[in-house]
Amino acid sequence: MSHPRSLRFLPALALTACISGPGTPDNPLPARPPVELAPPAGDAWHRHAVFYEVFVRSFQDSNGDGKGDLPGLISRLDYLNDGDPHTTTDLGVDALWLMPVFDSPSYHGYDVVDYERIHPDYGTVEDFERLCAEAHRRGMRVILDLVINHSSSQHPWFVESASSRTSAKRDWYQWSDTDLAWAPPWDLFSRGSTWHKLNGAYYYGVFWSGMPDLNLRTAAVSEEVKRIASFWLGKGADGFRLDAARYLIETSGGLVGQADTPETHAFWKEFAAHVRSVKPDAVLVGENWTTTPTIATYYGSTAQVPGGDELQLNFNFPLAEELLKAARTGDGTGVTLKLAEMRTRYPVGVADAPFLTNHDHVRVATQLGGNTGQLATAASLLLTLQGSPFLYYGEEVGLANGTTNNDEAKRTPMVWDASAGAGFTTGTPWFSFSPGRESAQVAAQSNAPGSLLSRYRGLIRARHASEALDRGGLRLLTSTEGRAPTLAFLRTWGEERVLVVHNLTGGTETAGPFALEGESAEVLFAAPSAGSLVRGDSGWSVTLPAHATGIWRLR
């Protein structure tokens, strides 16, 4: 779900003051402990999986109507993961996140009219079950976008709720006799109201009038939401991405009452416990577009449930901004500071969910101006960090935004080849292809060793070939002070130690020396033409060409 973000927070500034305050010769700064992030606790599949976000409408059309569908997605599963770890022609992802596939009047699906019916454009429930079976056969999981903060205003629940003040479903939504004039919680200075007039009363809809918020304080609504989750888990789903997770239960107007309320956290604990009771290894992924300290609270308590008793994965929006900034500017300072902040804020042992962009962002290729070196750097940063990275479909080939200024331009059809329909459709695509499709396509990059697609494939293979990269802890080797043209860290798991070094710049850079144990270094990934890692008296050093990444297992 997208929404404006007029409120800006600056946690990194406060962190900088703590980390890099001035010292003097008479009062030197005390030695700082290294920034270390513990490996995710437990052995659940989702704690180290590589996820791939799919907008079904734009991925593959199977019937020529110009709209992607579930049968089309099934036909492309081998591109994502063919089930054979020895092949190198698939991307190698471990899980799929499907943007909303339930029946909806909108192209995007975030206003649901039937939570138990697949959108007719996409297929049927039976098609979804077949998708899950085929994905599972290849070793992939499938999670669904579950939108329970709100429904469509066309949903039968809301139609009934609005029909009468005495309706049996009146309290399934929030109603008021007057306009309470609450501004959106992300823009408290807005003159707009989140209360909308209908039939002589006002209902609450934080995003817009077409998406009335469900009232999850009503027990019947809460139970219905849990029943719906059980329904899809029974059909093969392996978990849910939870839209607008911060905004579930409101207690009053203003930021404190409309977002991150104690009641919202209590509901997520209850919902998570229910999902675990139905399918113990299912995952819940939270969309909490906010600051690091607030995101950290959505893991809940780790006392009884490894990784937290609320949402096991939470998208790291602040880190995403810093990763793209590092790729664009050639300076990784923001990344180092963000990792340091995560160390102090995130509960120990939780799994991060890093990403670059998703369906609400201007695409990476557009943000980076199509710069091939910067795109390669962004990919390398994402896929060498710990946790569960998420890729947005088309990101792996440098798919750019469309030419219009709307959300559809962030969700244009996938480009598979150079044919008129780009291998996506034999008909007219539901939305125009993005510019640059001559090179930002799968066919053109599949057999090109230096392509962006090849880098994504190689990085994911390297990740899966090393438990330290796949699921280990992270020790930052780059200082949090000053400019950082290179970014280096050590990934560890048991006795395995893997050194990762990124040259973020467009020129040659030398990194090190790093005082790390080891007599030899095994190359796990080196591109493009990364220099040799050399051990000297002071430790390991390496000279890297522009935008190169080197990954070595130290022995």
Side-chain angles (χ1 to χ4, degrees), residues 159 161-165 170 175 196-203:
V159 173
S161 180
S163 66
S164 167
R165 292 174 183 263
R170 187 67 169 182
W175 293 91
H196 312 283
K197 191 172 185 178
L198 181 66
N199 297 339
Y202 295 82
Y203 63 91

Side-chain angles (χ1 to χ4, degrees), residues 202-544:
Y202 295 82
Y203 63 91
Y204 182 72
V206 70
F207 289 107
W208 72 295
S209 60
M211 294 178 175
D213 276 41
L214 286 160
N215 184 4
L216 286 160
R217 284 176 293 191
T218 297
V221 179
S222 175
E223 291 305 309
E224 178 66 6
V225 163
K226 287 186 283 188
R227 189 194 64 78
I228 289 166
S230 298
F231 175 84
W232 289 107
L233 292 172
K235 297 297 181 183
D238 299 291
F240 304 102
R241 179 264 188 185
L242 300 163
D243 184 69
R246 302 177 61 206
Y247 305 114
L248 285 197
I249 299 178
E250 301 76 23
T251 56
S252 63
L255 182 62
V256 174
Q258 288 174 272
D260 313 313
T261 60
E263 291 81 0
T264 293
H265 284 284
F267 174 82
W268 284 132
K269 289 182 191 293
E270 177 185 339
F271 183 78
H274 171 76
V275 168
R276 288 195 303 272
S277 73
V278 176
K279 196 168 191 174
D281 66 345
V283 65
L284 300 179
V285 187
E287 184 210 24
N288 302 294
W289 198 334
T290 181
T291 61
T292 301
T294 302
I295 293 172
T297 65
Y298 280 89
Y299 288 99
S301 171
T302 60
Q304 301 297 325
V305 180
D309 60 0
E310 287 189 39
L311 312 180
Q312 299 102 321
L313 295 175
N314 289 278
F315 290 120
N316 198 330
F317 286 89
L319 181 60
E321 292 185 15
E322 297 301 341
L323 294 177
L324 289 181
K325 186 188 299 181
R328 184 174 60 251
T329 66
D331 180 8
T333 305
V335 177
T336 67
L337 292 174
K338 189 54 60 181
L339 293 174
E341 186 183 21
M342 289 164 57
R343 181 196 63 183
T344 63
R345 296 291 189 171
Y346 277 26
V348 174
V350 302
D352 190 28
F355 69 103
L356 297 175
T357 63
N358 63 27
H359 59 278
D360 285 330
H361 295 87
V362 172
R363 280 188 171 272
V364 174
T366 299
Q367 290 195 49
L368 299 183
N371 185 297
T372 55
Q374 293 176 10
L375 286 169
T377 292
S380 299
L381 288 171
L382 173 66
L383 289 168
T384 52
L385 290 170
Q386 69 174 165
S388 305
F390 281 71
L391 318 181
Y392 184 37
Y393 81 94
E395 209 160 65
E396 73 275 17
V397 293
L399 193 66
N401 258 45
T403 57
T404 57
N405 187 27
N406 54 15
D407 281 343
E408 289 91 327
K410 306 168 185 175
R411 307 163 188 176
T412 60
M414 184 71 170
V415 180
W416 297 98
D417 58 38
S419 65
F424 165 70
T425 185
T426 57
T428 302
W430 76 273
F431 198 79
S432 299
F433 294 105
S434 298
R437 54 182 285 199
E438 299 79 15
S439 58
Q441 58 164 268
V442 173
Q445 296 188 27
S446 282
N447 298 314
S451 69
L452 185 62
L453 177 58
S454 292
R455 174 165 285 215
Y456 271 93
R457 286 172 172 170
L459 285 163
I460 293 173
R461 286 198 302 274
R463 188 178 181 94
H464 289 336
S466 163
E467 287 194 308
L469 274 178
D470 204 36
R471 64 184 69 201
L474 182 149
R475 178 183 179 186
L476 185 64
L477 302 175
T478 302
S479 172
T480 55
E481 300 178 17
R483 187 173 181 274
T486 63
L487 186 65
F489 42 83
L490 187 70
R491 300 294 310 279
T492 58
W493 179 262
E495 297 298 317
E496 186 186 16
R497 291 168 304 114
V498 172
L499 174 63
V500 180
V501 185
H502 302 284
N503 178 2
L504 307 176
T505 75
T508 300
E509 294 285 344
T510 298
F514 305 113
L516 302 170
E517 294 181 2
E519 298 300 323
S520 64
E522 174 193 356
V523 176
L524 296 180
F525 180 88
S529 303
S532 298
L533 186 66
V534 178
R535 181 174 173 79
D537 293 339
S538 300
W540 297 95
S541 298
V542 64
T543 299
L544 294 171

